[in-house]
Amino acid sequence: MLVRAGNTWLWTAHAALLAGVLTGCSEAAEGDDSQASARPSASASADTSGAGDSAAPRGGTIGAAGSACELPVAFDTAKSWKAEAVEAPLDQGPVSLACEIDAKPAGNIGFLRVWAGKPGDADARTVLEAFVAAEEGVSGAKYSAFTSGGLSGAKVEYLYTSELLEETKKESAFAVTTAEGPVVVHLGGLDTEEHEEMLPAYELARRTLRAV
């Protein structure tokens, strides 16, 4: 069963959160979430310049046994971001949601989401293309290759247009394949401005990625 998290409960939560921020009724969350404010939608373009060029300060590591999320890979998380394993049956293309890393304690509105799948013959680019294809409202996808920690993977930047919120914003993802199955790490965000502010955390995860 294909469930597009971003167009179902995630965007319902997005709309509710945005309404709460705009009316001044949202409550402060862990890590002084009151500092995060809604911003007007930025003009989005899917290029690779800007905030993603540098990684965020390290806060911890997830993926290994005993960490907040046990995964086929491990990577560093940005300072103050909070990771939590997910057991909800949410699928996108060939992978299922396994872990959410919340940016709110660091002052942003968004998540790094980790999706994992079953072992197969598909390479990282094929997995990533299937992941993006399962997301309605995507345009301008730009793919490239990367290596990290002995792993070869694919990454993509694209635009996502929400019919519900009538806005277009940037999203980014990368994928690798392991003996235990493929892994996709995805960064969304409330809008393009939030996305770009969180890119250093995404880059930290990608640059420190390694097998466990």
Side-chain angles (χ1 to χ4, degrees):
M1 179 179 68
L2 172 64
V3 179
R4 165 55 193 161
N7 287 340
T8 54
W9 66 273
L10 294 178
W11 273 113
T12 301
H14 179 157
L17 175 59
L18 180 59
V21 173
L22 291 175
T23 56
C25 296
S26 60
E27 297 180 357
E30 178 185 357
D32 193 16
D33 188 33
S34 62
Q35 298 301 315
S37 59
R39 299 177 174 89
S41 297
S43 174
S45 71
D47 66 34
T48 57
S49 61
D53 292 341
S54 61
R58 179 185 178 277
T61 299
I62 64 165
S67 65
C69 299
E70 297 185 9
L71 304 164
V73 296
F75 57 84
D76 293 349
T77 58
K79 184 177 181 180
S80 298
W81 287 52
K82 183 177 180 181
E84 183 177 2
V86 176
E87 296 181 358
L90 298 173
D91 303 327
Q92 185 167 324
V95 289
S96 301
L97 186 61
C99 181
E100 288 187 331
I101 309 163
D102 191 355
K104 287 196 295 296
N108 289 104
I109 300 173
F111 295 86
L112 267 178
R113 289 189 168 95
V114 186
W115 304 71
K118 297 179 180 179
D121 296 330
D123 61 19
R125 172 70 177 259
T126 301
V127 169
L128 191 57
E129 288 178 344
F131 177 82
V132 173
E135 183 173 10
E136 296 181 2
V138 168
S139 63
K142 294 184 178 181
Y143 292 88
S144 58
F146 76 94
T147 58
S148 176
L151 296 171
S152 297
K155 59 181 180 177
V156 64
E157 289 190 351
Y158 58 93
L159 303 179
Y160 171 73
T161 301
S162 167
E163 293 183 2
L164 175 64
L165 299 175
E166 298 182 345
E167 68 176 23
T168 298
K169 65 187 185 71
K170 286 183 180 179
E171 297 194 0
S172 303
F174 64 80
V176 294
T177 56
T178 74
E180 297 181 42
V183 175
V184 176
V185 178
H186 173 265
L187 177 66
L190 183 66
D191 54 29
T192 291
E193 189 173 355
E194 286 280 1
H195 179 84
E196 290 179 340
E197 289 183 4
M198 295 186 293
L199 277 174
Y202 169 86
E203 285 298 314
L204 176 67
R206 186 180 65 81
R207 295 179 185 182
T208 58
L209 189 71
R210 62 268 191 193
V212 295

